[in-house]
Amino acid sequence: MTSESLLELLTALQEGKATPDEVLKRLIHLPYEDLDFAKIDHHRPLRTGMPEVIYGAGKTDEQVMEIFAQMAAKGGNVLATRVSSDAAAAVIGKFPAASHHAIARTLTLVQEKRPARPGMLAVLCAGTSDLPVAEEAAITAELMGNTVTRIYDVGVAGLHRLLAQREVLAEAKVIIVCAGMEGALPTVVAGLVRAPVIAVPTSVGYGASFGGIAALLGMLNSCAPNIAVVNIENGFGAACFATSILAVKET
Amino acid sequence: MTSESLLELLTALQEGKATPDEVLKRLIHLPYEDLDFAKIDHHRPLRTGMPEVIYGAGKTDEQVMEIFAQMAAKGGNVLATRVSSDAAAAVIGKFPAASHHAIARTLTLVQEKRPARPGMLAVLCAGTSDLPVAEEAAITAELMGNTVTRIYDVGVAGLHRLLAQREVLAEAKVIIVCAGMEGALPTVVAGLVRAPVIAVPTSVGYGASFGGIAALLGMLNSCAPNIAVVNIENGFGAACFATSILAVKET
Amino acid sequence: MTSESLLELLTALQEGKATPDEVLKRLIHLPYEDLDFAKIDHHRPLRTGMPEVIYGAGKTDEQVMEIFAQMAAKGGNVLATRVSSDAAAAVIGKFPAASHHAIARTLTLVQEKRPARPGMLAVLCAGTSDLPVAEEAAITAELMGNTVTRIYDVGVAGLHRLLAQREVLAEAKVIIVCAGMEGALPTVVAGLVRAPVIAVPTSVGYGASFGGIAALLGMLNSCAPNIAVVNIENGFGAACFATSILAVKET
Amino acid sequence: MTSESLLELLTALQEGKATPDEVLKRLIHLPYEDLDFAKIDHHRPLRTGMPEVIYGAGKTDEQVMEIFAQMAAKGGNVLATRVSSDAAAAVIGKFPAASHHAIARTLTLVQEKRPARPGMLAVLCAGTSDLPVAEEAAITAELMGNTVTRIYDVGVAGLHRLLAQREVLAEAKVIIVCAGMEGALPTVVAGLVRAPVIAVPTSVGYGASFGGIAALLGMLNSCAPNIAVVNIENGFGAACFATSILAVKET
Amino acid sequence: MTSESLLELLTALQEGKATPDEVLKRLIHLPYEDLDFAKIDHHRPLRTGMPEVIYGAGKTDEQVMEIFAQMAAKGGNVLATRVSSDAAAAVIGKFPAASHHAIARTLTLVQEKRPARPGMLAVLCAGTSDLPVAEEAAITAELMGNTVTRIYDVGVAGLHRLLAQREVLAEAKVIIVCAGMEGALPTVVAGLVRAPVIAVPTSVGYGASFGGIAALLGMLNSCAPNIAVVNIENGFGAACFATSILAVKET
Amino acid sequence: MTSESLLELLTALQEGKATPDEVLKRLIHLPYEDLDFAKIDHHRPLRTGMPEVIYGAGKTDEQVMEIFAQMAAKGGNVLATRVSSDAAAAVIGKFPAASHHAIARTLTLVQEKRPARPGMLAVLCAGTSDLPVAEEAAITAELMGNTVTRIYDVGVAGLHRLLAQREVLAEAKVIIVCAGMEGALPTVVAGLVRAPVIAVPTSVGYGASFGGIAALLGMLNSCAPNIAVVNIENGFGAACFATSILAVKET
Amino acid sequence: MTSESLLELLTALQEGKATPDEVLKRLIHLPYEDLDFAKIDHHRPLRTGMPEVIYGAGKTDEQVMEIFAQMAAKGGNVLATRVSSDAAAAVIGKFPAASHHAIARTLTLVQEKRPARPGMLAVLCAGTSDLPVAEEAAITAELMGNTVTRIYDVGVAGLHRLLAQREVLAEAKVIIVCAGMEGALPTVVAGLVRAPVIAVPTSVGYGASFGGIAALLGMLNSCAPNIAVVNIENGFGAACFATSILAVKET
Amino acid sequence: MTSESLLELLTALQEGKATPDEVLKRLIHLPYEDLDFAKIDHHRPLRTGMPEVIYGAGKTDEQVMEIFAQMAAKGGNVLATRVSSDAAAAVIGKFPAASHHAIARTLTLVQEKRPARPGMLAVLCAGTSDLPVAEEAAITAELMGNTVTRIYDVGVAGLHRLLAQREVLAEAKVIIVCAGMEGALPTVVAGLVRAPVIAVPTSVGYGASFGGIAALLGMLNSCAPNIAVVNIENGFGAACFATSILAVKET
């Protein structure tokens, strides 16, 4: 039932063509939602700065191209994650304003500029192999309007590299930490700061790393209290979650 | 090396009793930290509102009693989690001002009042069996200075109970959602709000719930982007993480 | 918003005290559900023959007793599963009309008789150790108004015992099969009949049975097409699911 | 021993060429089955509407082609699942009457029309990536004589899309729900209806989805009582199981 | 249908009271088995030397006592495994001829003597903690009529103890090897002999032994070709399987 | 120390050129084995009928070709398992007397004929997808001098096919049963016979079959006592183990 | 064959009572080991400083007492691990010279003093709950003649506590690090030193720590190269391994 | 803050341009490390004999080439592990002095010769398929200045091959043992020697070897006390750890 037909129903009541009981009976069976709810939902991306998103894994280059074009036509920002180089080249060919972030395996198209959200977000990773996940997080967060500081290659087996960044860490409002193997970096970072730390396990490692399970378990069992965890390699989700935290300041 | 002896060293330099090179050589071997670092750390609980915490699991009633007394003597707030009824009774006997929250299995002693932190924190759980975890989160969060709204028994198999709370959910700045079994509640909640949702798997269930693993996996794989997860039954950690988010507003 | 106040709102519209637009605006913000929805929900047990249910595991004897009394007061049928002998004795002491099914670890109280649903439900189990689960299923199904035939101790290592029951199996409209260890019985049964077979893994076994995981996996991987599986030891759920199937005939 | 030779044996008895004891002795050693049993089995597909089925995974295009031709020659309906595009093209080339359902990865050949079985079957999926499994279920169910309503892309992170379909759901006699990731959709659906819900985990997801294990566990641990589960990605099996339920109405 | 009524049917045919076609029709629907099949089955234990067996785990002392008495009354040998000391004492009190093997946690009652089966069976174990499983195997095998040689405490970390037994090993026709922890003993033994080696994982160990899984995996992955494995702690099954091998010589 | 030099040592003693003490001292440090031991070992294949074996998985076609040629040069029988079609073609090109068994993925070269070992070995499999494993077992067993009867496609979802083979099964001295998916066939077979049954899990299946783990667990937890299990897909090992059993008859 | 009888054999050869060929034939069948080998083995504990060891888990107090007395009678040092308080009290009652280390759950009896092995061994643990494992390691190492420095409660969430110990760590020749939960401490320590680090996972933690699996995986996947791991809670093994390293200096 | 600017600060103090308190205040905020720390770190490889290392897995040939060139330019030794044949050929083309070890999949470039470290390191493996891991360990250890003895193809199913190497084993100061499948070799070796044994699981095997998990568990559960374990296939790590042990002798 659309709000239009709902209006008709109410008008019928007003005009005496229906009784309150009849209307009540119909309203009780009113579906949970109505079109206005959906309409609001339709407007959400524009209001929140959340871009349209394509998850490229498992899609053909043609599918990525087609969906990207559809989304771009809506006029907002577009983000495509896990895209192949070929798909990226094809999209850039058609949308020269789009940017391909090769390491992050992402494509972005900025059609709406807006002032940066206050509060710095730091993105850390343990080793260079964690870069694709860290960059996916950083690129996503930037497209969502955040100010991002990258602190890479600060694994716990060489603590001095991490400790050298203590002042920057202290300024961050939220910290995303990507690590594979034993996944200890988020715990060590969380012990140095008070900001919330979002831990992202990566699949970096071999043997008993089990594609990121070792890092995931390490992060879930962290002895630091200011840590929460997202799915293995979910850099995109970490950025969304960080944005939802930084948006708390605005509310 | 204490800051005192460091001062002596510098004074010796000032007084010409040591050369800059000699002092430099000693400073290079200065341990990473010094006592002043520890002193700052010592002051941290009072400044951040973080209480002293005892994890009662695996400790005898006597040990809980003894550690509680030591912590209480410091003058700050004290929180003991996973305490038995017997240990609780013993502590209350000696500290009548302490409170025992039986369902949450926690003891609290408030010796420092302070104004509530702005921003409402909602704590949800799916079923009554999830209450111990949800209450551990709620009690912990309250002791840390947050305003908590409890929304219990709103499991996804009866959606209308959850949907009836939509307005309250919309006001929450951060939401903690505890659920066992299939662990779907955090995902459904996250689809209804923009605030960050902290998912806490509980061990409620049997058979293939594997003591909370099913719920944990369900939450890690959530299709909603504004979710992060803590360890199974870690209500305490969820409250700490939520506090670290709400404290972002203050900075 | 209750249906009463909703009626008031509509009456106000009818009486010209409100405009359709004003009412529409309020209705759009109407919470998903209202009390009438809950009222319908409240009536559901009586209409569907679904009893009030208490899951006794993890509850004290006193809690079981108290909840049982509350449910019995509503006048419908009551089912308590996973109850201890002591809890059962206490309930029977207060509700002499209740029955304790010791092997099934269940309590039932029939306060509403109703004609049996057409269609026979067969409940099978592989060995005597599977009886608690099979009986939980059978007792539950009977309380929900079904006609149940029990076929026990027909494990696949002695096929002739099962084959001797072929005629009874052929008459069943739905079949619940409980088995632990290698969990092969549902597959063999499903190869002999056309009716839907609901497989219930039990935790019977030791070593690599892993508390029912071996049986669960065996059933999920069945080479027969007319099988679906419920959680380990979930005799109650199997009976509910079977009832939902037999109720299809009624609709 | 064929029924022919059995007849000879009985005739010999009738004609006095054998004694009852001699015949009895032979009959006791009669193998469990005889050819007539097989003959009945041969007739089964025609009577039940069950098509001949080829599982294409792991078979070469040539093997699929050859087996398809053999089955088609029997005159009944034929279903091939998990077939490659190449195999499909080859089969269509030879059997122009066959249909290739690309998303479902299936081939169907209808050689026997028959009236639709009463009772609507709804097939739902959470996201577009679940389509191959959902379509395998839908196509299979249709070929088996059922009326299927497809409700796709109604994941729980956007509840309004699902709630908009409540009336259709209420009309379904059986519901198949396919979902990957956290696998919460079947639970939410089962809370909205009374019909039996068949949950099909898909391998959609990454990281800790473990190829569908997270969804499988979520479904097995559902807090709704009218759910049963089939193997990961087993759309075919779900359709068979649903058909066995709808056939209950006919018996 | 009993063989008696089958005889009646055949006699009716012989006497011209029934036609072959009528009898054929009934026979086609003859259930898979008949009472004569069961009767043969009833005789099996006496012929094969297989004792009546009670699996004591999960049974009360009273249940063990009662079943033991029923089985003893049949006149054959009786074996009860996994029995408590109390149950054993109770049984011995009533059946003084029964023997309690405390380490093996078994009770045996020999009521039928018979000549030993030719062919020596060696039972080995790695450490003294494996004794309960090894003795369960040895006692079971002896009761089934085999000649058993025990070779205990010959773990692979002290090879000389095992190598000192090479001559005895060379004489064994079948070898049962029980080991926990890393489970390497069966592999080393199998490299020294040509006889079939039955590997029995035990739950001896801690931490990453996972209750016998490490030993089980070690045995399944043995690089020796003359090994097969039974379930964790299944000493009884190993003895049965060994007996089935030694019985091959008799056939 | 070779037996030759050992002989020299002893001769020196005999001739008075060494004292018993000197010889004793050298003998105490004699390595565990000497060349004669190895020599016996060298002769083993010829005496036991065990062929030279190449495990082709992970080897290049060239490596398979080269090792095959080396082994063939020794004059005994040669078996290569898990070989590609290309490797097979290359070997056949050079050794026209060799045979390629495409389904079994094996190559055999018979250079030594010998009388068949008494005792029939039955090899069963559940479905046609299990054929590679079953044929690997059958071909290996035949090359080792056994008489093999193949009984294929007798899965438990259509019991009549298996039951039709009861007489053949009863004649087998040892039975190898290969099955994937739920792995129930070995249990059902073991309930019909007294011979030892060697269960071989295959990786046939999908989803929760986990590459054969479901079948493996099903077989380890079999409720039949005359079953033992080998590694997933280890058709070769099953044949070796079966041979070691049948060889018991000869000793 | 004992060395005595071997001497007789050689003397027989010397005296012309046997030929070299006869002796050679017997020697070829000489078992792998002889008594002299065992005799050397018998002396090993005294020479290496390895005490006699009792693993108390799963043993009754009486068994511990009895074995302890047997070992003490040999005159060397005795170590009992995982002993209950009652068993400890009983042993101390009889052996007043023995020491009970309650936290380490061990008993030691020193009957042989010997000079400390050069090289300091540091034993670290992350939290106080790890003490039983750390103390088991420390007590064992001390009894084996090593000099041990304990550094406890230096978890990675508060790095300054660990960093304050850098100079002590730099002096250690070998370091044992015990940690539960995420198990990150060994990695951080290994990044600060060059000495070999032996990582010991403990079962400290809950939920997804899975009894030490998370810590075990974290340690196996360490990004530091100078780490190796022992079994969960295997403090004893870590001490033995450390001793074997420090003994390298002596050789 | 560099040591240079630190020197300036101290000189300012010496010259009276700053007070001790001012300097103290700045020093308290001195970051944990300064450039001098890094400089020391920079010198570490030269002093310890640790080469520069490239982990080639997941890197393109170009990346390997580029990093190799950068590292070679520093003048020390260079090691690249897990490199493809193509990458190796490219590097050799540019650095003719580099060596490609094809089986070990490593590249080495020796630019600094230094005397061998005392103490022999034995590297063992069970089968030829374990060679890549064993050779990675051996090549790495040699480049780090150790003397390596290779003992290959000594699996436990043919003990005489291993026992023949007892004298060499007795001379080794540290032993690395690589094995897949059941992983029993390290345990057997550790029972024969007193030196520390470093166990390296390999992924050799199939089915229930689970890519090396079976071997890993076998090694972690070893009944020998002088064993520690590194990650699956971590030959490089084993060599580093062995070097850290042999370096203990030097300190």
Side-chain angles (χ1 to χ4, degrees), chain H residues 121-127 130 133-134 137 151-152 154-156 162 169 174-180 183-191 193 195-202 215 219 226-231 233-235 238-239 242:
Chain H
L121 165 65
V123 177
L124 282 76
C125 74
D130 301 314
V133 179
I151 304 176
Y152 291 166
V154 288
V156 295
L162 174 64
L169 290 175
V174 181
I175 303 177
I176 292 173
V177 186
C178 308
L185 185 58
T187 293
V188 173
V189 169
V193 303
V197 171
I198 306 167
V200 190
T202 74
M219 293 169 183
N226 48 335
I227 283 187
V229 187
V230 297
N231 197 359
E233 307 250 309
N234 192 4

Side-chain angles (χ1 to χ4, degrees), chain H residues 145-191:
Chain H
N146 302 290
T147 305
V148 175
T149 302
R150 290 158 169 86
I151 304 176
Y152 291 166
D153 205 11
V154 288
V156 295
L159 271 186
H160 57 282
R161 291 175 300 181
L162 174 64
L163 296 175
Q165 304 291 337
R166 285 220 308 163
E167 290 187 20
V168 183
L169 290 175
E171 284 169 26
K173 295 305 178 214
V174 181
I175 303 177
I176 292 173
V177 186
C178 308
M181 303 177 83
E182 85 286 0
L185 185 58
T187 293
V188 173
V189 169

Side-chain angles (χ1 to χ4, degrees), chain C residues 32 37 44 47-48 50 159-160 163 166 173-174 190-198 216-217 220-222 225-232 234 236-238 240-241 244-246 248-251, chain D residues 32 37 44 47-48 50 159-160 163 166 173-174 190-198 216-217 220-222 225-232 234 236-238 240-241 244-246 248-251:
Chain C
Y32 274 37
F37 180 87
R44 186 155 56 163
R47 287 184 294 106
T48 64
M50 178 78 176
L159 271 185
H160 57 282
L163 296 174
R166 283 221 307 164
K173 296 303 179 218
V174 181
L192 297 174
V193 302
R194 284 200 228 144
V197 171
I198 306 168
L216 171 64
L217 292 182
L220 284 170
N221 287 286
S222 173
N226 48 336
I227 283 187
V229 187
V230 297
N231 198 356
I232 298 167
N234 192 4
F236 169 76
C240 293
F241 189 70
S244 78
I245 292 175
L246 289 168
V248 170
K249 280 185 79 77
E250 299 172 345
T251 59
Chain D
Y32 275 37
F37 180 89
R44 185 157 56 165
R47 288 184 294 107
T48 65
M50 178 78 176
L159 271 185
H160 58 284
L163 295 174
R166 281 220 308 163
K173 297 303 179 216
V174 181
L192 298 173
V193 302
R194 287 202 224 138
V197 171
I198 305 168
L216 172 64
L217 292 182
L220 285 170
N221 287 285
S222 173
N226 48 338
I227 282 187
V229 187
V230 297
N231 197 359
I232 299 166
N234 192 4
F236 169 76
C240 294
F241 189 69
S244 78
I245 292 175
L246 289 167
V248 169
K249 281 184 79 78
E250 299 172 346
T251 58

